[in-house]
Amino acid sequence: MSGLRERWRLKAMRAIQEHALDLFDERGFGAVTIEEIAAAAEVSPSSVYRIFGTKEGIVVADEFDHMSPETLESLLDPADPVGSLVRAVRAYESSPGPGEGPQTGRGPWRRVRYFFAEPSVRMAVCATLDRAGRRISPLIAATGEVSETQARVIANALAFGYFAALEQWYLDGGDRPIADYVEEGMRPLRAIWSTPAGRDHPEPLSGRRSGSG
């Protein structure tokens, strides 16, 4: 039953996002109200507030926010967190979001430009990235290869490093895959965190064996 509810929620989320993006593209983000979005999506304003919280939340929300801990754990390889991120971005990019795809003539991740064109949306994205970092950090720390502080730094570097790569993609016009930017931008960090067997750089990762007997 919970799975059915979650599928309904995701379907409703995507439908509302698509209608909202249509209105934003036509009239501008600031000129559109949640009541107008609700009317276009044929739902109540209270449903929009319940699912997204704010107008900025409509742009920012995606499946990651509702991903179960078990699903998140299956996607993250703590021995190669950067590789996990790149793979997730490639998979997500290959599945068009609301109003996207070849048939629409719109580029990938239609909503991304609002991340950088609207200051209030950018702030909402940063809050979402902070939450993502807090969800990822315990999974990295659970390996025992890094301290909790190091896990927190790695998790936030992943989240906000992704955002920096996404912004460069946007500034360059969005002609190349987003995942290419993520892979390129995170390459220096991957040399530190990612190893073929997860063991080639144990000392820099752990920082806890020096002086131990």
Side-chain angles (χ1 to χ4, degrees), residues 86-202:
V86 172
R87 288 189 293 273
V89 172
R90 289 201 186 281
Y92 197 45
E93 195 169 15
S94 67
S95 303
E100 297 171 358
Q103 71 279 8
T104 67
R106 293 163 175 154
W109 290 2
R110 175 187 177 191
R111 59 199 172 99
V112 164
R113 69 178 178 276
Y114 292 102
F115 292 6
F116 307 107
E118 297 293 334
S120 63
V121 175
R122 186 183 185 113
M123 290 180 63
V125 173
C126 288
T128 299
L129 293 171
D130 179 62
R131 290 194 297 273
R134 282 186 271 128
R135 293 189 69 192
I136 295 169
S137 177
L139 300 179
I140 296 174
T143 64
E145 291 296 314
V146 296
S147 67
E148 290 186 6
T149 300
Q150 291 167 336
R152 185 178 296 274
V153 170
I154 291 171
N156 279 279
L158 287 171
F160 287 94
Y162 156 73
F163 186 64
L166 188 61
E167 184 166 22
Q168 190 61 51
W169 172 86
Y170 166 78
L171 293 172
D172 286 352
D175 294 330
R176 292 167 48 207
I178 295 169
D180 287 356
Y181 280 82
V182 175
E183 187 165 27
E184 176 189 349
M186 302 293 279
R187 193 170 296 136
L189 299 180
R190 192 172 194 177
I192 299 172
W193 298 334
S194 172
T195 67
R199 297 289 180 181
D200 287 357
H201 300 283

Side-chain angles (χ1 to χ4, degrees), residues 71-88:
T71 301
L72 183 59
E73 188 172 1
S74 71
L75 293 175
L76 178 68
D77 178 4
D80 186 12
V82 174
S84 299
L85 174 62
V86 172
R87 288 189 293 273

Side-chain angles (χ1 to χ4, degrees), residues 16-26 98 110-111 114:
I16 294 168
Q17 280 182 319
E18 184 170 353
H19 286 290
L21 288 167
D22 286 341
L23 292 171
F24 297 156
D25 290 349
E26 179 184 344
R110 175 187 177 191
R111 59 199 172 99
Y114 292 102

